[in-house]
């Protein structure tokens, strides 16, 4: 027999990123600037805590919402760091990565036919998540002339005033854009005026290089209509441990937990012990990683300008988003620089509307590899001038 796929699954194309990694696997000595994860190891204190928990046999399920002491630590952390106040008992859920939290929110708050406005370019999983939940995607393009920040004008032009949900990701994957408080405030006003639920993915919040990160949930009237996502993958270099969390009103987190308890039951126990220690004692490690990312960011931006490729001043996450030469599409450039020079990058159009003609470059790799990769890109551009 053959399986008949659901319409929702058939509506989602294969990942546009995966094809480039498959090409990269076919050749030797490829330098990848395409991977969206830290090149650092998890800080030792967090690893030791995970090992100790295993040695002590702490391998059972935890509470559905996560260990109580971890939720209390998260509440203290987001209050001190981002001025966000949430009750650890009712308003925080610990999940298997921030991606699970995002998926829970789509399934908890999107009904079939609901319209979900997504600021794009954006993380590739939002659009499939909406489709799997039965919703309809409304792309809201951001523009390079606005430093890829979301604007009220962009929302209005896209028709987002008729949407049910608005999805934000700042600092942004793939562009590296940030949204300072003065830019977020009119977006918050728009959401209140048009009664939008806001899903704010702030997984890169700690990786902000120009000023301090501001959450849209801190604005008047926004806490009650916003779910904030964060986690330990990026700033704490814990991608493989799969631990994230969501913050929101008690009824909203309760709805997400209803799905979580049937599908995941609880987040990985060992990772929760690591995360608790990470919040307790790894602040210096995180700051050292942030400082190194910032040095790499400045180097990469400088080199692209020397090469002659336009690139805006990315100020967050660990990505930059240069324009390709006019003689190429982004996909052509990515394929040919991989085949000819052995550098893996990701074409910007896989991240949605507004990404055309750009590349996502991850600088979450060592400076030596960054130097060599950019020298190869420079040679490729010169050869094809």
């Amino acid at each position: 027999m053959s399986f008949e796929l659901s319409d929702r699954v058939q509506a989602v194309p294969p990942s546009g990123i995966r094809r480039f990694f498959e090409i990269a696997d076919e050749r030797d000595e490829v330098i990848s600037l395409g991977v969206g994860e830290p090149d650092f190891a998890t800080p030792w204190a967090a690893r030791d805590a995970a090992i100790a928990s295993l040695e002590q046999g702490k391998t059972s399920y935890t509470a559905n919402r996560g260990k109580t002491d971890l939720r209390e630590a998260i509440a203290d952390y987001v209050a001190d760091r981002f001025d966000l106040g949430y009750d650890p008992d009712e308003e925080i859920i610990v999940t298997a990565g921030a991606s699970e939290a995002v998926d829970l929110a789509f399934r908890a708050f999107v009904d079939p036919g609901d319209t979900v406005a997504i600021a794009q370019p954006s993380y590739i999983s939002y659009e499939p998540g909406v489709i799997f939940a039965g919703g309809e995607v409304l792309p809201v393009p951001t523009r390079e002339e606005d430093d890829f920040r979301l604007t009220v004008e962009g929302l209005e032009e896209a028709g987002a005033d008729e949407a049910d949900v608005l999805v934000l990701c700042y600092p942004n994957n793939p562009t590296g854009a940030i949204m300072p408080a003065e830019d977020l405030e009119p977006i918050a006003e728009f959401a209140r005026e048009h009664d939008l639920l806001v899903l704010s993915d702030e997984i890169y919040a700690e990786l902000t290089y120009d000023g301090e990160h501001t959450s849209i949930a801190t604005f008047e009237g926004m806490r009650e209509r916003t779910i904030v996502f964060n986690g330990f993958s990026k700033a704490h270099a814990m991608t493989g441990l799969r631990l994230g969390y969501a913050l929101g009103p008690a009824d909203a987190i309760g709805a997400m937990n209803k799905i979580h308890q049937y599908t995941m039951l609880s987040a990985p126990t060992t990772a929760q012990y690591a995360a608790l220690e990470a919040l307790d004692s790894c602040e210096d490690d995180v700051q050292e990683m942030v400082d190194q990312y910032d040095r790499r960011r400045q180097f990469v931006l400088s080199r692209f300008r020397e090469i002659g490729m336009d690139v805006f001043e990315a100020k967050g996450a660990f990505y930059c988003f240069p324009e390709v030469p006019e003689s190429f599409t982004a996909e052509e450039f990515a394929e040919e620089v991989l085949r000819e020079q052995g550098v893996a990058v990701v074409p910007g159009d896989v991240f949605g509307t507004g990404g055309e003609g750009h590349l996502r470059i991850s600088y979450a790799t060592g400076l030596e590899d960054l130097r060599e990769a950019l020298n190869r890109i420079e040679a490729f551009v010169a050869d094809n001038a």
Side-chain angles (χ1 to χ4, degrees), residues 84-340:
L84 292 167
Y86 289 93
D87 177 0
D89 292 327
E90 301 291 335
E91 298 181 322
I92 297 175
I93 183 171
V94 179
T95 56
S99 292
E100 190 214 347
V102 173
D103 182 61
L104 291 176
F106 286 145
R107 289 197 278 169
F109 310 122
V110 177
D111 279 323
D114 282 355
T115 299
V116 180
I118 303 177
Q120 295 186 344
S122 65
Y123 178 49
I124 61 171
S125 291
Y126 300 145
E127 191 164 329
V130 172
I131 294 170
F132 291 147
E136 298 180 1
V137 174
L138 177 68
V140 182
T142 60
R143 298 184 292 262
E144 185 166 4
E145 53 264 37
D146 298 320
D147 287 343
F148 290 107
R149 296 172 182 173
L150 183 62
T151 65
V152 170
E153 292 75 19
L155 287 164
E156 291 174 341
E157 289 173 8
D161 55 321
E162 298 293 330
D164 300 287
V165 179
L166 173 62
V167 180
L168 307 175
C169 176
Y170 289 97
N172 182 260
N173 173 13
T175 66
I178 61 173
M179 286 282 286
E182 61 269 22
D183 295 310
L184 272 177
E185 188 166 14
I187 305 303
E189 182 178 350
F190 182 92
R192 292 193 302 269
E193 179 182 353
H194 299 289
D195 196 26
L196 297 179
L197 169 66
V198 176
L199 305 181
S200 183
D201 188 347
E202 302 178 20
I203 188 67
Y204 296 98
E206 291 88 347
L207 306 185
T208 301
Y209 311 110
D210 183 20
E212 294 294 325
H213 173 75
T214 299
S215 174
I216 195 169
T218 60
F219 290 94
E220 182 180 356
M222 291 305 297
R223 186 185 185 281
E224 56 265 37
R225 66 173 63 251
T226 302
I227 306 295
V228 176
F229 309 107
N230 206 328
F232 298 88
S233 292
K234 309 303 182 179
H236 295 86
M238 289 171 53
T239 50
L241 292 173
R242 307 310 303 132
L243 208 71
Y245 55 88
L247 317 168
D251 58 346
I253 295 300
M256 293 169 64
N257 187 51
K258 183 184 291 186
I259 302 168
H260 173 73
Q261 65 189 359
Y262 285 116
T263 57
M264 193 62 64
L265 202 145
S266 64
T269 300
T270 306
Q272 292 191 52
Y273 282 98
L276 186 59
E277 184 62 32
L279 292 178
D280 184 59
S281 67
C282 296
E283 183 177 352
D284 289 345
D285 300 90
V286 171
Q287 188 58 53
E288 174 59 27
M289 288 187 277
V290 172
D291 290 344
Q292 290 202 44
Y293 287 138
D294 193 18
R295 287 193 288 272
R296 297 172 185 180
R297 176 184 72 93
Q298 295 177 57
F299 168 75
V300 169
L301 292 173
S302 173
R303 281 295 284 125
F304 271 115
R305 288 166 182 151
E306 290 174 359
I307 291 168
M309 294 175 65
D310 291 336
V311 60
F312 95 104
E313 188 79 12
K315 296 180 179 180
F318 37 59
Y319 309 107
C320 67
F321 209 55
E323 292 185 49
V324 300
E326 292 183 356
S327 55
F328 292 93
T329 66
E331 188 168 329
E332 289 169 346
F333 189 102
E335 283 196 18
E336 293 184 29
V337 77
L338 176 55
R339 295 189 189 280
E340 294 183 21

